[in-house]
Amino acid sequence: MKNILKVTLGILTSIGGFLDAGAIATNASAGANFGMGLLWATALGTLFAIFLVEMSGRLAVVSKHTLADAMREHFGFRYHAIPLATELLVDFLVLTAEIGGACIALQFVTGIPFKWFALPVGLCIWVTIWIGSFGRIEKATAFIGLITICFIVGAFRLRPDMHAIASGFVPHQPPQDAAHYWFLSVSIIGAIITPYVFYFYSSGAIEEKWDFKDLGVNRAVAALGMTFGCIIAMGITVVAAQTLQRAGIAVDRFEQAPLMLTDPFGRWGVFLFAASLAICCFGAAIEVALAVAYVVGQAFGWRWGEDLSPKDNARFAMTYTIFILLAALVTFTGIDPLKVTMFSMAMAVVILPLVILPLLVIMNDEKYLKEQRNGWISNTVGVAAVVAAIILAIVAIPLEIIGGG
């Protein structure tokens, strides 16, 4: 029963971990611009995420090392300094996007310009981390995040063409605006396998003191949790295709996105979208801020842990405090949250090889994994993920310039 509860919580937690500003923005934009045509990108990103998340958890369970710990120990600090620096830059952009997304959600409800919420939202995120524990934050975000199921309900209410949905799982060259199509496909994959997820997940396994008995739980959480989040993300694409695309509305600002839920839910659709965006972004901002503190603390060998008192863990607390404050200040300048989100997703793709390739090497190291080293299936998917990450990293910036707007 205890393991069942862990798996259930893991599935619910995927709502906050899988769905964030990036996933909501990219899937909404995909549906509005290309209908069901980019469902394949969500499916592919989810497949990679399942295996990579499982590897991160298995590494922590067997070796008692987080991903950042293992990279520093295996490759040395000089090598680790490169992915560390790039990871912190991308995480800062992602954190700014998440805070901006939560602020935009409040603007939908109040009509007050989003920038005025930047510092209060940042303060709420900081207070939640400062006084909360890992378990409490995880549970609260998971259960409140159930509101995102409204996208699945909305998709069923709109009765989409199942043949169109099935055809969306096959990549194709669109008749026009090909650059934007491929830019969105890269951004969708980047939103799903953003590197902070792997650092956060492996650190969380250590925080929750997982052991060998939890290897099955780890596999179930990775597979079922990511799949559950994927279904909701696909629901966003389907709803956007059925509403925004038919109305000729391309999502180039967050303010356009809530219209997708007004058809299935009427005037309540705006509030459901605002609540979903706010909760997902708030939960994701907490995860990103903690991931930054985890990565920095583990890279420099500091004491770290959300369950430790801030006074006994001052450098860890100082790290997430500084990043939250700076991200909130950037949001306060009024920079467009959607543009920050799309750019941060593209940049996440650029640094993916620096994270996935070392992870794959470590997962085949007997020193860390013993008899739990990768099998041929995990290695096959891992190699495919590395190859895809390298290709995506090469094309991400040109596509951002040509097709990202």
Side-chain angles (χ1 to χ4, degrees):
M1 179 59 72
K2 184 178 180 181
N3 282 346
I4 293 176
L5 290 174
K6 284 183 178 180
V7 173
T8 302
L9 181 60
I11 294 172
L12 296 179
T13 303
S14 72
I15 298 173
F18 192 105
L19 290 175
D20 57 5
I24 292 174
T26 54
N27 282 277
S29 185
N33 287 275
F34 301 103
M36 317 293 184
L38 281 164
L39 290 175
W40 66 268
T42 304
L44 180 61
T46 301
L47 175 65
F48 289 153
I50 289 171
F51 279 86
L52 295 171
V53 166
E54 189 278 332
M55 289 181 203
S56 302
R58 179 157 39 100
L59 172 66
V61 168
V62 177
S63 71
K64 304 304 177 186
H65 284 71
T66 65
L67 175 56
D69 275 336
M71 287 176 63
R72 175 174 54 84
E73 184 178 283
H74 189 282
F75 297 101
F77 183 80
R78 287 188 177 181
Y79 169 83
H80 184 54
I82 299 173
L84 174 64
T86 55
E87 178 67 25
L88 293 180
L89 173 60
V90 172
D91 283 353
F92 176 74
L93 292 172
V94 174
L95 182 57
T96 303
E98 304 301 349
I99 292 176
C103 293
I104 281 286
L106 292 172
Q107 176 180 300
F108 293 156
V109 176
T110 65
I112 300 172
F114 73 88
K115 71 174 187 176
W116 298 109
F117 293 107
L119 295 178
V121 167
L123 179 62
C124 289
I125 294 168
W126 178 80
V127 170
T128 301
I129 299 175
W130 185 269
I131 66 175
S133 65
F134 188 89
R136 289 175 182 174
I137 291 173
E138 183 182 46
K139 292 179 178 65
T141 303
F143 285 105
I144 297 174
L146 281 172
I147 194 172
T148 55
I149 294 177
C150 66
F151 291 106
I152 302 299
V153 177
F156 277 104
R157 284 193 171 190
L158 293 169
R159 298 179 181 178
D161 181 357
M162 300 307 294
H163 177 74
I165 290 178
S167 65
F169 288 92
V170 180
H172 63 278
Q173 182 78 0
Q176 56 186 7
D177 209 1
H180 191 50
Y181 174 89
W182 292 111
F183 168 74
L184 281 176
S185 68
V186 169
S187 299
I188 288 171
I189 295 172
I192 295 172
I193 53 177
T194 307
Y196 84 81
V197 173
F198 313 130
Y199 291 113
F200 179 82
Y201 189 80
S202 63
S203 299
I206 298 295
E207 291 260 36
E208 296 190 324
K209 298 178 173 60
W210 281 10
D211 55 31
F212 276 87
K213 297 191 297 294
D214 294 305
L215 283 172
V217 172
N218 174 56
R219 286 191 290 270
V221 169
L224 298 178
M226 295 297 104
T227 300
F228 189 57
C230 171
I231 292 172
I232 296 177
M234 288 183 175
I236 296 173
T237 301
V238 171
V239 172
Q242 293 292 101
T243 56
L244 300 180
Q245 187 188 40
R246 289 184 176 182
I249 300 173
V251 179
D252 50 22
R253 294 187 65 83
F254 261 125
E255 289 84 348
Q256 299 163 318
L259 297 174
M260 73 170 70
L261 289 181
T262 56
D263 276 6
F265 297 109
R267 64 187 182 90
W268 288 103
V270 174
F271 296 102
L272 285 171
F273 185 91
S276 298
L277 181 64
I279 292 167
C280 288
C281 290
F282 190 83
I286 291 173
E287 289 192 10
V288 177
L290 283 174
V292 167
Y294 286 143
V295 169
V296 173
Q298 293 156 17
F300 290 100
W302 298 344
R303 193 179 185 191
W304 60 271
E306 168 59 7
D307 291 337
L308 297 174
S309 170
K311 68 179 181 179
D312 299 323
N313 203 15
R315 288 180 289 192
F316 180 83
M318 177 187 66
T319 302
Y320 66 69
T321 299
I322 292 173
F323 269 76
I324 292 171
L325 176 61
L326 292 177
L329 288 174
V330 171
T331 304
F332 181 70
T333 65
I335 189 171
D336 187 344
L338 183 59
K339 291 184 178 179
V340 175
T341 300
M342 295 303 227
F343 181 71
S344 66
M345 294 305 100
M347 291 304 297
V349 170
V350 172
I351 70 168
L352 267 179
L354 297 175
V355 179
I356 297 179
L357 183 57
L359 172 60
L360 190 60
V361 172
I362 291 170
M363 294 307 296
N364 285 277
D365 191 328
E366 186 177 4
K367 172 186 173 183
Y368 292 96
L369 279 302
K370 302 179 176 64
E371 69 278 3
Q372 293 296 329
R373 285 175 294 172
N374 272 0
W376 70 269
I377 296 178
S378 293
N379 276 332
T380 300
V381 177
V383 170
V386 169
V387 173
I390 293 173
I391 294 173
L392 294 175
I394 293 172
V395 303
I397 298 302
L399 286 174
E400 166 74 22
I401 296 171
I402 300 171

